[in-house]
Amino acid sequence: KQWYQRRVAITAGGAFMCRLAEEIQEAVDSYKNTADEPGSLPRKAPQGYKLDVSGRSMEARENVMKFLNWARELRVPESSIFSPDDLLKLKGKMNVVNTLLAVARRAKDCGMAADID
């Protein structure tokens, strides 16, 4: 139970998602350099996010917003983007999961190895 609560706290602070965006951004950058017409994609992963923040703090909200803005730049459909409170207040866990799946699909489109269909 403690492990689960710690994982939820890490995720709710938004830093985990920003770190995930950094990993995906590497594939996006490679794709942009090799694709004929990559279209509009993020220039960089979220910057200046804070680590070890409380899930309901202003810093956590800023972290989550940085991730969501990056996901929009990645062209994740708006209908797949969760609201900040879905994560920060744990109101819509499935919305968060759906966003992560949509990000994974876009990452796969950009050449990142992902077993998503």
Side-chain angles (χ1 to χ4, degrees):
K1 189 172 180 174
Q2 273 184 329
W3 177 88
Y4 174 77
Q5 289 172 334
R6 178 73 180 133
R7 293 292 170 242
V8 168
I10 289 169
T11 304
F16 169 78
M17 293 195 171
C18 291
R19 181 68 189 104
L20 175 65
E22 287 177 342
E23 292 294 320
I24 294 170
Q25 187 65 43
E26 290 179 21
V28 169
D29 291 342
S30 178
Y31 176 75
K32 287 192 301 187
N33 291 331
T34 59
D36 290 335
E37 294 185 34
S40 175
L41 290 168
R43 290 188 314 264
K44 58 186 175 185
Q47 304 290 303
Y49 60 90
K50 307 281 192 288
L51 301 172
D52 297 322
V53 297
S54 162
R56 295 190 179 208
S57 67
M58 187 57 71
E59 291 88 359
R61 184 168 294 276
E62 289 171 4
N63 286 348
V64 170
M65 290 305 300
K66 287 176 183 187
F67 172 79
L68 294 176
N69 290 334
W70 175 85
R72 287 181 178 99
E73 290 177 17
L74 189 62
R75 297 193 318 249
V76 169
E78 194 63 34
S79 61
S80 296
I81 301 282
F82 67 85
S83 76
D85 285 344
D86 287 339
L87 179 61
L88 297 170
K89 295 181 180 178
L90 301 176
K91 286 185 170 185
K93 295 177 214 167
M94 285 310 299
N95 294 337
V96 174
V97 170
N98 287 333
T99 299
L100 292 174
L101 288 171
V103 166
R105 283 189 290 276
R106 288 295 298 135
K108 183 178 181 181
D109 292 345
C110 292
M112 186 172 205
D115 197 14
I116 298 288
D117 288 316

